[in-house]
Amino acid sequence: MPETYSLCDKKNAALVGLIKRVASAKRVAVVTGAGISVNCGIPDFRSAEGIFQQIQAAHGDTLASGRDLFDASVVFRSAATADIFYRWMTLLRRKCAEAQPGIVHRFIRQLADRGVLLRSYTQNIDGLERKAGLAVWDPYAPKTSAAHVPWQTAQSVPLHGSMDRLTCQLCSSSLHFPEHSRSAVVAGDECPDCRLRSDARLADGRRSLPTGKLRPTVVLYEEPHPHCEDIAKIIAHDTRALGSRRASPPSALSGNGRAAKPCEPHNVIMVFGTTLKVPGCRQLVRQLANASPASTITVFINNEPVCGKSWDGIVDYQVIGDVDAWCLRIQHQWNLQPKITRWTKTRKAAAPEARLAAQKKPPRTNAANKENSNASSAKDCQPASRKRKRLDACDDGLLSVRRSVRIAERESLDLYHQSSPHAIYVCI
């Protein structure tokens, strides 16, 4: 079984060491479940007070279990169960609109700001990652809209869709899901695009066309995932990134790029607030953890133990406790890091364009080198007084540049702390 620690045991030296290793990780992948949104006012699905139990208590005479309302083979079997599904989706959309990001959501945003977040995979459909400021991949968003984020630059990937959009079950057109149930369009309404096409045919004297109904862009049980190939491509990319030579510490590589000896892992996979009962999520964790076992550790954080012997070799550490408390411990460890480390990570996250421009600087040609040598020889022939004046001017310019760099570093550090609303940092 994975090594299990209790988060309440603050004096556990092994737990403190694990927190330090996670806080100093160079690359982090995150997998989250419904447990991270409970403190935000959104109930989970499987607990005693979760959504499944609420549905069972309200519609026990129609549904055998609350899970059936999210089963595509059951919910659309009759008009009665479909109407219950639409009403609950509208109610859940209202709760998601009222909720605000919690500690874990802001913690993931801080990982992105520090430049160490590889990707955040979420099973949640509440859309709180977007509210926290993460770039969320939305395959339904039009490419010309501001909501479109290419998967290469997306920081968060919703595995089971989201409640932000509605899609037609007939023509597959999509539109924004309003946040309030009193709006003109709610789940279960007729598709406006289908209605326009049908009305146009009736105006021409032809027969009408069937119209589809709108439903949220969430993936139900027993239904094929409409974007499974795209998600598989993203997971394969991140798996290669975790297992690449660049992801391994230089001290652990031999001359041919192979691991020469066991090393201190510096890649971390954190799994938050999920019971890992969904097969797709289990496979995701296994695939990421097996990408580079020698340089990656997998940490599972949940209120109750979930990982047993079946997770040997996959999950390295299991921390039992509140996920928010775990994030606060990591943030506290960040605050204890040296100033130079924090400045370096801030500059890396704040100025990627400058670093890319420096890397793409064209090499000097032979003609340019010859001109520079001729110019330097001509300068040597100048009087000593003129050369001294030029050196003084260069020193003044260098001091000015250094002063500007210090001011920019301090401003970027202050901006980084201000952009993290839940951080416990103290501005330097």
Side-chain angles (χ1 to χ4, degrees):
M1 288 181 62
E3 295 185 31
T4 303
Y5 304 127
S6 174
L7 196 59
C8 300
D9 189 5
K10 297 183 179 181
K11 296 182 179 180
N12 190 333
L15 177 61
V16 173
L18 175 62
I19 292 174
K20 290 181 179 180
R21 293 168 67 184
V22 173
S24 61
K26 305 298 183 182
R27 187 173 292 172
V28 179
V30 180
V31 181
T32 60
I36 70 170
S37 298
V38 173
N39 294 335
C40 304
I42 301 176
D44 60 0
F45 286 89
R46 302 179 185 275
S47 66
E49 298 178 356
I51 294 178
F52 288 166
Q53 294 298 327
Q54 296 179 19
I55 295 173
Q56 178 66 25
H59 307 285
D61 54 342
T62 306
L63 299 170
S65 67
R67 183 185 180 279
D68 290 346
L69 195 63
F70 295 87
D71 191 330
S73 63
V74 177
V75 69
F76 299 118
R77 188 179 300 172
S78 64
T81 55
D83 290 340
I84 297 173
F85 171 77
Y86 295 135
R87 288 201 303 270
W88 273 88
M89 289 297 101
T90 303
L91 178 62
L92 188 58
R93 172 56 176 167
R94 188 189 309 171
K95 288 187 176 181
C96 294
E98 295 173 352
Q100 295 300 320
I103 295 177
V104 180
H105 302 95
R106 290 192 283 264
F107 170 76
I108 299 173
R109 168 64 189 274
Q110 290 176 9
L111 290 173
D113 291 341
R114 293 171 67 88
V116 299
L117 179 66
L118 174 62
R119 198 92 63 183
S120 172
Y121 294 92
T122 179
Q123 301 178 79
N124 299 338
I125 59 177
D126 46 36
L128 292 181
E129 289 79 13
R130 181 178 284 106
K131 289 185 179 181
L134 293 172
V136 180
W137 177 66
D138 184 3
Y140 292 96
K143 293 185 177 181
T144 56
S145 67
H148 174 70
V149 178
W151 69 266
Q152 293 87 345
T153 58
Q155 298 167 331
S156 178
V157 175
L159 298 173
H160 301 156
S162 71
M163 298 288 292
D164 293 336
R165 303 187 69 84
L166 292 168
T167 183
C168 176
Q169 301 180 68
L170 186 61
C171 69
S172 300
S173 63
S174 64
L175 66 155
H176 178 68
F177 194 169
E179 297 181 353
H180 303 286
S181 58
R182 296 181 180 179
S183 58
V185 180
V186 296
D189 287 353
E190 289 186 340
C191 174
D193 292 345
C194 291
R195 175 51 59 190
L196 285 176
R197 286 192 291 268
S198 180
D199 292 344
R201 288 177 60 89
L202 288 175
D204 293 340
R206 294 183 292 175
R207 63 181 180 85
S208 62
L209 293 176
T211 57
K213 287 192 174 184
L214 299 174
R215 53 163 287 188
T217 55
V218 297
V219 183
L220 304 178
Y221 294 108
E222 304 300 332
E223 106 176 309
H225 200 301
H227 303 286
C228 59
E229 294 182 358
D230 297 329
I231 293 179
K233 180 170 59 176
I234 298 173
I235 296 174
H237 173 273
D238 294 346
T239 303
R240 289 193 299 269
L242 287 173
S244 64
R245 176 182 177 180
R246 188 176 179 182
S248 300
S251 61
L253 297 177
S254 58
N256 57 4
R258 296 180 180 179
K261 59 182 179 180
C263 59
E264 184 71 13
H266 84 304
N267 296 332
V268 174
I269 302 170
M270 283 189 283
V271 185
F272 287 106
T274 176
T275 56
L276 295 176
K277 290 186 177 180
V278 178
C281 185
R282 289 201 303 266
Q283 180 62 28
L284 167 63
V285 174
R286 291 180 183 273
Q287 185 169 343
L288 293 177
N290 288 327
S292 179
S295 62
T296 304
I297 60 172
T298 304
V299 185
F300 178 83
I301 308 100
N302 199 34
N303 282 329
E304 56 185 15
V306 173
C307 301
K309 292 184 178 180
S310 61
W311 289 96
D312 285 349
I314 305 296
V315 176
D316 300 295
Y317 302 97
Q318 184 173 213
V319 180
I320 309 303
D322 185 52
V323 293
D324 293 349
W326 167 265
C327 294
L328 292 177
R329 295 281 296 271
I330 300 297
Q331 290 172 346
H332 178 68
Q333 186 61 36
W334 283 342
N335 192 39
L336 299 178
Q337 290 180 347
K339 300 177 183 178
I340 297 299
T341 303
R342 281 183 276 164
W343 281 347
T344 303
K345 291 184 178 181
T346 302
R347 291 175 63 188
K348 285 183 179 180
E353 295 84 2
R355 289 187 287 107
L356 289 176
Q359 294 173 1
K360 295 180 181 179
K361 187 176 180 180
R364 288 179 177 269
T365 60
N366 292 333
N369 293 334
K370 189 174 182 180
E371 287 182 4
N372 291 338
S373 62
N374 294 335
S376 62
S377 61
K379 288 181 181 179
D380 293 338
C381 298
Q382 295 177 357
S385 59
R386 186 180 300 177
K387 187 182 296 185
R388 190 180 304 110
K389 288 181 180 180
R390 294 201 174 190
L391 289 175
D392 294 340
C394 291
D395 291 340
D396 294 340
L398 182 59
L399 290 174
S400 177
V401 170
R402 288 178 177 174
R403 193 179 300 111
S404 301
V405 169
R406 291 193 192 100
I407 294 174
E409 287 179 351
R410 190 170 295 277
E411 289 179 352
S412 64
L413 183 60
D414 293 340
L415 179 61
Y416 168 69
H417 292 306
Q418 294 172 6
S419 65
S420 304
H422 201 82
I424 56 175
Y425 294 84
V426 178
C427 296
I428 300 172

